[in-house]
Amino acid sequence: MDDLTSLAPLLVAVPLASAAVLLLLGRRADRWGHWLGVLASGGAFVVAAVLLADLLGRPADERVVDVHLADWISAGSFDLSAGLRVDPLSLTFVLLVTFVGTLIHVYSVAYMAHDVARRRFFAYLNLFVAAMLLLVLADSYLLLFVGWEGVGLASYLLIGFWNHRTPYAVAAKKAFVANRVGDVGLLVALMLMFATFGAVDFDTVAAGVPAASTGTLTAIALMLLLAACGKSAQFPLQSWLGDAMAGPTPVSALIHAATMVTAGVYLIVRSAPVFEGAPTAQLVVTVVGAITLLIGAVIGCAKDDIKKALAASTMSQIGYMVLAAGLGPVGYAFAIFHLVTHGFFKAGMFLGAGSVMHGMGDRTDMRRFGGLRSVMVVTWLTFGAGWLAILGVPPFSGFWSKDKIIESAFVVPDAGGEWRAWLFGAVALLGAGITAFYMSRLFFLTFHGRRRWAPDADGHEPHPHESPALMTVPMVVLALGSVALGFLLQLGGGFTTWLEPVTGHVEHHEPVLAVPVIQGATLVAIALGLALAWRQYLSLPVPVTAPTGSVPTRAARADLYQDAVNDAVLVEPGRHLTRSLVYGDRTAVDGAFSGLGRLTVGLGELARKVQTGYARQYAATMLLGVVVLAAVVLAPRI
């Protein structure tokens, strides 16, 4: 083991130790605890940068390094050690999580300055970072599961951080339950792996794929997909994401940009050998991504809450990544490429939304914003960079990453089926147009047009102002990434080449349409979406109160009835099943034991009636018994 790779355990240990110190010291750490949290995340980034330099100095075939931690489980012939895998895929996630995470930590120092529980908030942030780093660095599915559950716990604590407000506590519980549904998939996949391969580490599972049956691999892959859907808010487990906006805005930036919702994409790409051995499951992955990117885009068109509109956008963009991952080797690198650029521009926009809320007295209704460009210039510029990046306007980052996914969607898969290329390519192209509309809608409603700053219910007038430097500096850094990161990563095919030790080398595939045609069609779709948003929300007056709208609009505002469907399909049947079981328990099980008790009492009542207390009655009863006994004994002899 190389001396530098031996530093890998510090990536998890440093933020985890910081979380422990902040929680165990309690209020004694209130004055400086937030800075310890920042240093812990920043320290992890420094270690990640050292590991990056080390890997870049190695030949490509030596860039997968396993770091043994300890012997973990030994049972019969089964042995599993706990270890970390440092390779281009895991290190890409580590760099994203620690760099963007550190910026969010710095931002949170100012954003949470007046919160009495700020020290505890930073402890939870550090716990979240540590769990996510363990998830992406684990060298086995079982250790990955430990990090997976740690992320679930930390997200529950952060989303429900202000749990004294009932809706916030309910939102945290909803996210926790939805993720537990996905966790069942990962657990079942672990069981199937153990039964099929006798192991759950990445290398043994990958080596055993060629000998496994297609049916078994399909079952494992579908269970992994279920886990990914829960963690990454993909169809049909996407309904928790919008409600998760109940947490403090830095939580939204951390969860929805660089960490939790990207875990599902990581799991699919890391499990590439399994999915490639199960073509049906791979197609299902692509279908799920396509459905989700459209669902998220449609919902984003109708949200007036700035954070919920960004959450819908995250759902849609993760859908693009899942679609790309489902395309197989042709899409793996582009899924991760878009994940990285999205981490920057979406984190920047979430922090920008927090800056707007900070200046507007925690308001989130975009219909009551407008005209903020003149009073929040830095926020407007940095948010604008993210807006142009997510639209895919060249040369901003999203142009280099999302367009590659659209081009890959138009490639005919190796298994054949030209219809797939046309279908998924059209969906990806349509999604780009809708994205341009709803993100332009968000940008125009917030920063442009006339000022719609109505007083709140208590008659307080908002006085928007720019945020302090601790909030704006991280936003500026993320905006620079939104502008230039995509261009820098794609130079000479650098990013796809960097991932080749994990994703493998992929020969160039020509899509069914010429690349310039696809790029031109994408830009036309973006221009149409932007122009429609400009006409609707800049050229025409914007009502402060949302109009009732048509049936599709009402459906989009209701999240396409996700909660209603979940209630009808899962909650209500579960409630009826529970009531039936309770009724059966009370009538059958409890009834049997209660009946036995009543029978015993009844027999006792009968016996009590012959207990009169008169000696002559007892003597007569004894005499009667003797007579009966004598009759029974003497009768045969007569």
Side-chain angles (χ1 to χ4, degrees):
M1 183 172 63
D2 190 272
D3 288 339
L4 291 181
T5 57
S6 65
L7 298 174
L10 293 176
L11 291 169
V12 180
V14 170
L16 187 62
S18 175
V21 169
L22 294 178
L23 290 173
L24 293 176
L25 287 184
R27 294 181 179 178
R28 288 172 289 180
D30 280 351
R31 295 181 60 186
W32 47 266
H34 48 285
W35 290 117
L36 176 62
V38 172
L39 288 174
S41 183
F45 171 71
V46 171
V47 174
V50 171
L51 294 178
L52 173 64
D54 179 56
L55 284 197
L56 289 175
R58 297 167 178 256
D61 58 354
E62 296 180 10
R63 289 180 178 173
V64 179
V65 182
D66 288 321
V67 180
H68 178 77
L69 296 179
D71 295 330
W72 189 14
I73 301 174
S74 181
S77 60
F78 178 75
D79 288 295
L80 180 67
S81 61
L84 305 179
R85 170 158 294 185
V86 181
D87 63 15
L89 178 61
S90 65
L91 195 54
T92 297
F93 274 82
V94 168
L95 288 165
L96 177 64
V97 170
T98 55
F99 183 76
V100 176
T102 300
L103 293 176
I104 293 171
H105 276 68
V106 173
Y107 178 97
S108 300
V109 172
Y111 191 86
M112 301 294 289
H114 303 294
D115 196 297
V116 295
R118 180 170 63 171
R119 182 258 319 155
R120 179 164 55 88
F121 179 78
F122 275 83
Y124 293 164
L125 286 183
N126 280 177
L127 178 63
F128 196 109
V129 169
M132 187 67 190
L133 293 178
L134 178 62
L135 189 159
V136 299
L137 284 166
D139 67 348
S140 69
Y141 285 99
L142 190 58
L143 189 58
L144 179 151
F145 183 72
V146 175
W148 192 272
E149 291 302 290
V151 168
L153 170 63
S155 66
Y156 171 75
L157 296 172
L158 287 168
I159 294 170
F161 185 74
W162 291 323
N163 55 34
H164 55 279
R165 306 177 189 176
T166 300
Y168 290 19
V170 171
K173 183 176 67 174
K174 183 177 181 180
F176 190 79
V177 171
N179 276 268
R180 299 295 74 74
V181 174
D183 292 350
V184 171
L186 187 51
L187 281 171
V188 173
L190 280 166
M191 298 174 192
L192 291 173
M193 289 176 189
F194 180 74
T196 305
F197 309 112
V200 291
D201 61 280
F202 295 148
D203 288 339
T204 305
V205 170
V209 164
S213 68
T214 302
T216 299
L217 293 177
T218 300
I220 295 173
L222 290 176
M223 290 298 100
L224 291 173
L225 174 60
L226 177 62
C229 287
K231 198 66 75 181
S232 293
Q234 298 294 284
F235 177 81
L237 299 177
Q238 78 279 12
S239 65
W240 65 269
L241 194 65
D243 291 334
M245 296 299 100
T249 301
V251 174
S252 304
L254 191 64
I255 291 177
H256 299 137
T259 54
M260 181 170 164
V261 294
T262 63
V265 181
Y266 170 81
L267 181 64
I268 294 172
V269 175
R270 177 61 80 185
S271 306
V274 176
F275 282 94
E276 289 172 14
T280 300
Q282 203 167 40
L283 176 60
V284 174
V285 172
T286 313
V287 170
V288 166
I291 291 174
T292 309
L293 79 87
L294 289 181
I295 288 177
V298 170
I299 292 173
C301 292
K303 289 297 181 183
D304 294 328
D305 184 306
I306 186 171
K307 289 176 65 178
K308 290 191 175 183
L310 288 174
S313 169
T314 296
M315 184 193 308
S316 181
Q317 296 304 306
I318 299 294
Y320 269 107
M321 301 170 205
V322 171
L323 184 152
L327 296 174
V330 72
Y332 293 145
F334 299 138
I336 304 302
F337 186 14
H338 191 51
L339 186 150
V340 172
T341 60
H342 175 266
F344 276 77
F345 59 69
K346 183 54 64 64
M349 285 191 287
F350 266 115
L351 296 188
S355 179
V356 169
M357 292 169 60
H358 178 268
M360 292 291 289
D362 287 334
R363 301 183 183 197
T364 59
D365 188 352
M366 295 183 293
R367 291 184 177 274
R368 297 181 180 273
F369 292 164
L372 294 178
R373 173 175 63 91
S374 59
V375 291
M376 303 183 71
V377 177
V378 176
T379 301
W380 170 64
L381 288 173
T382 56
F383 199 103
W387 166 59
L388 293 172
I390 197 171
L391 261 61
V393 174
F396 292 83
S397 292
F399 169 76
W400 305 103
S401 58
K402 190 169 70 175
D403 274 34
K404 288 296 184 182
I405 293 178
I406 297 174
E407 292 170 19
S408 300
F410 276 104
V411 172
V412 178
D414 294 335
E418 187 173 329
W419 64 270
R420 297 186 189 180
W422 287 105
L423 174 62
F424 295 127
V427 168
L429 196 58
L430 177 62
I434 302 176
T435 299
F437 171 76
Y438 74 80
M439 287 305 302
S440 297
R441 172 183 181 270
L442 184 155
F443 188 67
F444 295 152
L445 281 176
T446 302
F447 295 101
H448 293 269
R450 68 179 182 86
R451 299 178 177 183
R452 303 178 298 277
W453 309 343
D456 59 21
D458 298 324
H460 296 144
E461 290 278 355
H463 299 284
H465 54 278
E466 190 57 88
S467 300
L470 281 175
M471 294 172 64
T472 56
V473 169
M475 291 158 54
V476 170
V477 175
L478 292 170
L480 293 175
S482 301
V483 173
L485 184 63
F487 172 75
L488 295 175
L489 290 180
Q490 64 81 41
L491 285 175
F495 190 77
T496 54
T497 303
W498 159 253
L499 288 178
E500 280 184 0
V502 181
T503 59
H505 177 72
V506 181
E507 296 296 333
H508 178 70
H509 291 73
E510 287 294 337
V512 292
L513 290 174
V515 171
V517 173
I518 297 174
Q519 291 178 340
T522 302
L523 291 176
V524 168
I526 293 170
L528 289 174
L530 195 157
L532 182 59
W534 179 88
R535 177 186 177 277
Q536 191 71 26
Y537 300 101
L538 275 184
S539 177
L540 298 176
V542 177
V544 175
T545 302
T548 304
S550 61
V551 173
T553 301
R554 291 198 298 271
R557 287 181 182 146
D559 296 340
L560 298 182
Y561 305 112
Q562 300 169 40
D563 290 331
V565 171
N566 288 344
D567 285 342
V569 176
L570 300 174
V571 178
E572 286 301 323
R575 184 177 291 125
H576 288 304
L577 176 61
T578 302
R579 289 173 179 172
S580 299
L581 293 174
V582 170
Y583 177 79
D585 181 67
R586 289 176 178 174
T587 56
V589 180
D590 289 354
F593 284 98
S594 299
L596 180 61
R598 287 193 294 269
L599 176 61
T600 304
V601 171
L603 293 176
E605 288 292 331
L606 291 175
R608 186 176 63 81
K609 291 180 179 180
V610 300
Q611 303 296 321
T612 62
Y614 295 109
R616 62 180 179 273
Q617 182 177 338
Y618 297 156
T621 302
M622 294 171 62
L623 178 61
L624 178 60
V626 170
V627 171
V628 172
L629 182 62
V632 171
V633 174
L634 297 177
R637 299 182 180 180
I638 298 176

